[in-house]
Amino acid sequence: MTPDGRYLVVRGRLWRCTDPRLDPEERAALTSELMSARRAKGAAMRAGDDAGREAARARVDAAKHALGERGPVWWDDGAPDLTRHLARTTPYAEWFAQVEPT
């Protein structure tokens, strides 16, 4: 996780974290819904159910928005959203160079 708690780094890329201001119970419920929607998407894909896959994708998107991982950023200091950017090409580059395995 970046020092400011905004992003996780996965394979060198930044991914926005869940809004830390969420109530723990709400966060748990939304995370449960996200995982359920992801399972539904996988099942629909294995079954060749295009309509089911799209419905599940919409559920995933809604859960990620509610968690703060998509949509408007949850911080209020005007910093841009760097989701999907390579950490080494962002203001986190110096920090990332120190934590990146060699």
Side-chain angles (χ1 to χ4, degrees):
M1 185 178 306
T2 57
D4 57 14
R6 292 178 182 170
Y7 301 97
L8 292 173
V9 181
V10 179
R11 292 187 213 137
R13 236 171 248 289
L14 300 174
W15 296 95
R16 195 184 325 164
C17 290
T18 299
D19 185 344
R21 299 170 298 185
L22 286 175
D23 174 76
E25 290 178 10
E26 181 182 9
R27 179 181 175 154
L30 289 168
T31 300
S32 178
E33 166 56 15
L34 174 61
M35 303 321 307
S36 175
R38 285 179 169 166
R39 285 189 298 275
K41 180 182 172 219
M45 289 176 66
R46 287 187 296 279
D49 178 3
D50 292 340
R53 184 191 73 219
E54 290 307 310
R57 286 182 71 192
R59 285 177 56 201
V60 167
D61 190 57
K64 289 185 90 46
H65 272 84
L67 285 164
E69 296 175 11
R70 291 188 183 158
V73 296
W74 43 261
W75 51 89
D76 57 8
D77 64 1
D81 184 9
L82 299 173
T83 298
R84 296 187 179 184
H85 286 74
L86 291 172
R88 64 182 170 80
T89 64
T90 69
Y92 298 102
E94 187 176 324
W95 165 82
F96 185 64
Q98 294 173 3
V99 297
E100 182 180 29
T102 55

